[in-house]
mmCIF file of all heavy atoms in Angstrom:
data_model
loop_
_atom_site.group_PDB
_atom_site.id
_atom_site.type_symbol
_atom_site.label_atom_id
_atom_site.label_comp_id
_atom_site.label_asym_id
_atom_site.label_seq_id
_atom_site.Cartn_x
_atom_site.Cartn_y
_atom_site.Cartn_z
ATOM 1 N N SER A 146 94.401 106.630 111.448
ATOM 2 C CA SER A 146 93.117 107.167 110.890
ATOM 3 C C SER A 146 92.767 108.502 111.592
ATOM 4 O O SER A 146 92.371 109.441 110.915
ATOM 5 C CB SER A 146 91.958 106.158 111.044
ATOM 6 O OG SER A 146 92.247 105.044 110.230
ATOM 7 N N VAL A 147 92.854 108.520 112.882
ATOM 8 C CA VAL A 147 92.536 109.719 113.634
ATOM 9 C C VAL A 147 93.553 110.821 113.326
ATOM 10 O O VAL A 147 93.126 112.022 113.112
ATOM 11 C CB VAL A 147 92.561 109.456 115.166
ATOM 12 C CG1 VAL A 147 92.372 110.767 115.962
ATOM 13 C CG2 VAL A 147 91.432 108.486 115.545
ATOM 14 N N PHE A 148 94.794 110.527 113.279
ATOM 15 C CA PHE A 148 95.840 111.499 112.932
ATOM 16 C C PHE A 148 95.577 112.085 111.523
ATOM 17 O O PHE A 148 95.610 113.336 111.386
ATOM 18 C CB PHE A 148 97.200 110.858 112.986
ATOM 19 C CG PHE A 148 98.285 111.726 112.346
ATOM 20 C CD1 PHE A 148 98.679 112.917 112.825
ATOM 21 C CD2 PHE A 148 98.832 111.307 111.084
ATOM 22 C CE1 PHE A 148 99.631 113.738 112.189
ATOM 23 C CE2 PHE A 148 99.775 112.048 110.438
ATOM 24 C CZ PHE A 148 100.179 113.239 111.001
ATOM 25 N N LEU A 149 95.415 111.241 110.520
ATOM 26 C CA LEU A 149 95.226 111.730 109.167
ATOM 27 C C LEU A 149 94.012 112.590 109.035
ATOM 28 O O LEU A 149 94.035 113.664 108.336
ATOM 29 C CB LEU A 149 95.187 110.565 108.190
ATOM 30 C CG LEU A 149 96.455 109.724 108.059
ATOM 31 C CD1 LEU A 149 96.238 108.546 107.204
ATOM 32 C CD2 LEU A 149 97.576 110.610 107.496
ATOM 33 N N GLU A 150 92.907 112.221 109.663
ATOM 34 C CA GLU A 150 91.722 113.007 109.534
ATOM 35 C C GLU A 150 91.841 114.367 110.271
ATOM 36 O O GLU A 150 91.373 115.438 109.775
ATOM 37 C CB GLU A 150 90.489 112.258 110.159
ATOM 38 C CG GLU A 150 89.117 112.890 109.863
ATOM 39 C CD GLU A 150 88.916 113.145 108.359
ATOM 40 O OE1 GLU A 150 89.297 112.354 107.491
ATOM 41 O OE2 GLU A 150 88.309 114.215 108.049
ATOM 42 N N ALA A 151 92.508 114.334 111.449
ATOM 43 C CA ALA A 151 92.693 115.564 112.156
ATOM 44 C C ALA A 151 93.591 116.556 111.393
ATOM 45 O O ALA A 151 93.272 117.763 111.339
ATOM 46 C CB ALA A 151 93.349 115.276 113.497
ATOM 47 N N PHE A 152 94.639 116.051 110.732
ATOM 48 C CA PHE A 152 95.494 116.897 109.979
ATOM 49 C C PHE A 152 94.793 117.408 108.699
ATOM 50 O O PHE A 152 94.935 118.538 108.305
ATOM 51 C CB PHE A 152 96.829 116.239 109.610
ATOM 52 C CG PHE A 152 97.843 117.205 109.076
ATOM 53 C CD1 PHE A 152 98.475 118.073 109.903
ATOM 54 C CD2 PHE A 152 98.060 117.246 107.715
ATOM 55 C CE1 PHE A 152 99.388 118.984 109.394
ATOM 56 C CE2 PHE A 152 99.022 118.150 107.165
ATOM 57 C CZ PHE A 152 99.664 119.022 108.030
ATOM 58 N N LYS A 153 94.033 116.527 108.098
ATOM 59 C CA LYS A 153 93.286 116.955 106.878
ATOM 60 C C LYS A 153 92.282 118.007 107.211
ATOM 61 O O LYS A 153 92.021 118.926 106.396
ATOM 62 C CB LYS A 153 92.594 115.707 106.288
ATOM 63 C CG LYS A 153 92.182 115.907 104.825
ATOM 64 C CD LYS A 153 91.776 114.636 104.167
ATOM 65 C CE LYS A 153 92.911 113.742 103.821
ATOM 66 N NZ LYS A 153 92.482 112.602 103.020
ATOM 67 N N ASP A 154 91.629 117.956 108.418
ATOM 68 C CA ASP A 154 90.744 118.971 108.884
ATOM 69 C C ASP A 154 91.494 120.299 108.920
ATOM 70 O O ASP A 154 90.916 121.373 108.527
ATOM 71 C CB ASP A 154 90.125 118.664 110.216
ATOM 72 C CG ASP A 154 88.920 117.754 110.101
ATOM 73 O OD1 ASP A 154 88.380 117.599 109.007
ATOM 74 O OD2 ASP A 154 88.553 117.160 111.156
ATOM 75 N N LYS A 155 92.681 120.323 109.410
ATOM 76 C CA LYS A 155 93.524 121.566 109.516
ATOM 77 C C LYS A 155 93.725 122.090 108.118
ATOM 78 O O LYS A 155 93.590 123.299 107.891
ATOM 79 C CB LYS A 155 94.803 121.259 110.180
ATOM 80 C CG LYS A 155 95.796 122.437 110.207
ATOM 81 C CD LYS A 155 97.094 122.103 110.806
ATOM 82 C CE LYS A 155 98.053 123.268 110.677
ATOM 83 N NZ LYS A 155 99.352 123.025 111.401
ATOM 84 N N LEU A 156 94.071 121.255 107.167
ATOM 85 C CA LEU A 156 94.319 121.696 105.798
ATOM 86 C C LEU A 156 93.014 122.291 105.163
ATOM 87 O O LEU A 156 93.066 123.324 104.464
ATOM 88 C CB LEU A 156 94.840 120.515 104.937
ATOM 89 C CG LEU A 156 96.207 120.009 105.293
ATOM 90 C CD1 LEU A 156 96.497 118.787 104.432
ATOM 91 C CD2 LEU A 156 97.300 121.055 105.103
ATOM 92 N N ARG A 157 91.876 121.611 105.392
ATOM 93 C CA ARG A 157 90.626 122.075 104.876
ATOM 94 C C ARG A 157 90.357 123.499 105.387
ATOM 95 O O ARG A 157 89.909 124.344 104.648
ATOM 96 C CB ARG A 157 89.455 121.133 105.225
ATOM 97 C CG ARG A 157 89.508 119.789 104.501
ATOM 98 C CD ARG A 157 88.172 119.094 104.749
ATOM 99 N NE ARG A 157 88.349 117.635 104.504
ATOM 100 C CZ ARG A 157 88.455 116.696 105.387
ATOM 101 N NH1 ARG A 157 88.505 116.992 106.667
ATOM 102 N NH2 ARG A 157 88.537 115.424 104.981
ATOM 103 N N ARG A 158 90.404 123.630 106.739
ATOM 104 C CA ARG A 158 90.082 124.910 107.325
ATOM 105 C C ARG A 158 90.930 126.056 106.797
ATOM 106 O O ARG A 158 90.459 127.225 106.651
ATOM 107 C CB ARG A 158 90.200 124.859 108.845
ATOM 108 C CG ARG A 158 89.158 123.946 109.510
ATOM 109 C CD ARG A 158 89.155 124.211 111.027
ATOM 110 N NE ARG A 158 90.434 124.001 111.643
ATOM 111 C CZ ARG A 158 90.873 122.835 112.109
ATOM 112 N NH1 ARG A 158 90.093 121.787 112.075
ATOM 113 N NH2 ARG A 158 92.042 122.736 112.674
ATOM 114 N N SER A 159 92.157 125.762 106.497
ATOM 115 C CA SER A 159 93.060 126.802 105.998
ATOM 116 C C SER A 159 93.160 126.843 104.472
ATOM 117 O O SER A 159 93.958 127.556 103.897
ATOM 118 C CB SER A 159 94.488 126.591 106.580
ATOM 119 O OG SER A 159 94.926 125.304 106.236
ATOM 120 N N LYS A 160 92.220 126.098 103.786
ATOM 121 C CA LYS A 160 92.088 126.058 102.382
ATOM 122 C C LYS A 160 93.418 125.669 101.719
ATOM 123 O O LYS A 160 93.886 126.300 100.712
ATOM 124 C CB LYS A 160 91.591 127.422 101.823
ATOM 125 C CG LYS A 160 90.139 127.725 102.294
ATOM 126 C CD LYS A 160 89.651 129.019 101.721
ATOM 127 C CE LYS A 160 88.230 129.243 101.897
ATOM 128 N NZ LYS A 160 87.682 128.882 103.225
ATOM 129 N N LYS A 161 94.050 124.668 102.263
ATOM 130 C CA LYS A 161 95.318 124.184 101.723
ATOM 131 C C LYS A 161 95.229 122.747 101.189
ATOM 132 O O LYS A 161 96.197 122.037 101.010
ATOM 133 C CB LYS A 161 96.414 124.250 102.791
ATOM 134 C CG LYS A 161 96.689 125.646 103.298
ATOM 135 C CD LYS A 161 97.874 125.696 104.295
ATOM 136 C CE LYS A 161 98.058 127.107 104.849
ATOM 137 N NZ LYS A 161 98.395 128.062 103.809
ATOM 138 N N LEU A 162 93.960 122.343 100.889
ATOM 139 C CA LEU A 162 93.776 120.984 100.410
ATOM 140 C C LEU A 162 93.001 120.983 99.089
ATOM 141 O O LEU A 162 91.903 121.593 98.989
ATOM 142 C CB LEU A 162 93.004 120.141 101.442
ATOM 143 C CG LEU A 162 92.724 118.707 101.053
ATOM 144 C CD1 LEU A 162 94.004 117.893 100.986
ATOM 145 C CD2 LEU A 162 91.775 118.064 102.114
ATOM 146 N N ILE A 163 93.512 120.304 98.067
ATOM 147 C CA ILE A 163 92.782 120.066 96.807
ATOM 148 C C ILE A 163 92.362 118.673 96.755
ATOM 149 O O ILE A 163 93.199 117.765 96.794
ATOM 150 C CB ILE A 163 93.718 120.402 95.584
ATOM 151 C CG1 ILE A 163 94.204 121.828 95.633
ATOM 152 C CG2 ILE A 163 92.961 120.131 94.308
ATOM 153 C CD1 ILE A 163 95.200 122.141 94.492
#
Side-chain angles (χ1 to χ4, degrees):
S146 294
V147 173
F148 164 69
L149 293 173
E150 189 55 37
F152 191 75
K153 198 169 283 188
D154 276 345
K155 174 183 176 177
L156 294 176
R157 288 191 198 102
R158 289 194 305 270
S159 56
K160 295 182 169 43
K161 298 183 184 300
L162 181 66
I163 300 173

